[in-house]
Amino acid sequence: MIHNNNNIGSRLIETTVRENELPANIVTTLSEIQTQYSEVERFLIELASGGGVNMYGSPICLVEQYGITETQAKELVTYWIETFTSAVIEV
């Protein structure tokens, strides 16, 4: 897959939000796929760090990875972009 980059290195990721602070639509999507937001957040950080995908094109990667709808994926990416405040990357 284009977003699987083995040269990214190890990461120390500071979670940007607490699970109990998520909007209802995000909680519903995460519940449907039985995944925590921190996992999706890490996936998106990996994707962004790889540089192979424009983040506005990243919803399709979430669709492929988690089997969600494109609308759900766009909501997750939009929320992540709006709330993302820090990621420390160690190479």
Side-chain angles (χ1 to χ4, degrees):
M1 290 183 161
I2 207 168
H3 59 269
N4 190 2
N5 185 342
N6 293 328
N7 297 323
I8 294 173
S10 62
R11 276 144 190 76
L12 172 64
I13 298 170
E14 298 175 14
T15 303
T16 59
V17 295
R18 292 189 196 104
E19 296 289 331
N20 61 354
E21 297 174 350
L22 297 169
N25 62 324
I26 301 298
V27 170
T28 299
T29 297
L30 295 171
S31 176
E32 288 176 10
I33 60 175
Q34 299 178 342
T35 302
Q36 293 187 341
Y37 180 73
S38 58
E39 179 182 328
V40 173
E41 185 177 39
R42 277 192 284 276
F43 180 83
L44 291 170
I45 290 169
E46 292 263 337
L47 197 60
S49 298
V53 173
N54 178 313
M55 292 314 290
Y56 290 104
S58 64
I60 193 65
C61 296
L62 288 178
V63 169
E64 293 172 358
Q65 179 73 19
Y66 296 102
I68 58 178
T69 68
E70 190 172 339
T71 299
Q72 290 171 314
K74 286 178 182 178
E75 289 174 345
L76 282 168
V77 171
T78 299
Y79 181 74
W80 177 75
I81 289 170
E82 290 173 351
T83 60
F84 183 72
T85 57
S86 64
V88 178
I89 301 175
E90 294 178 358
V91 180

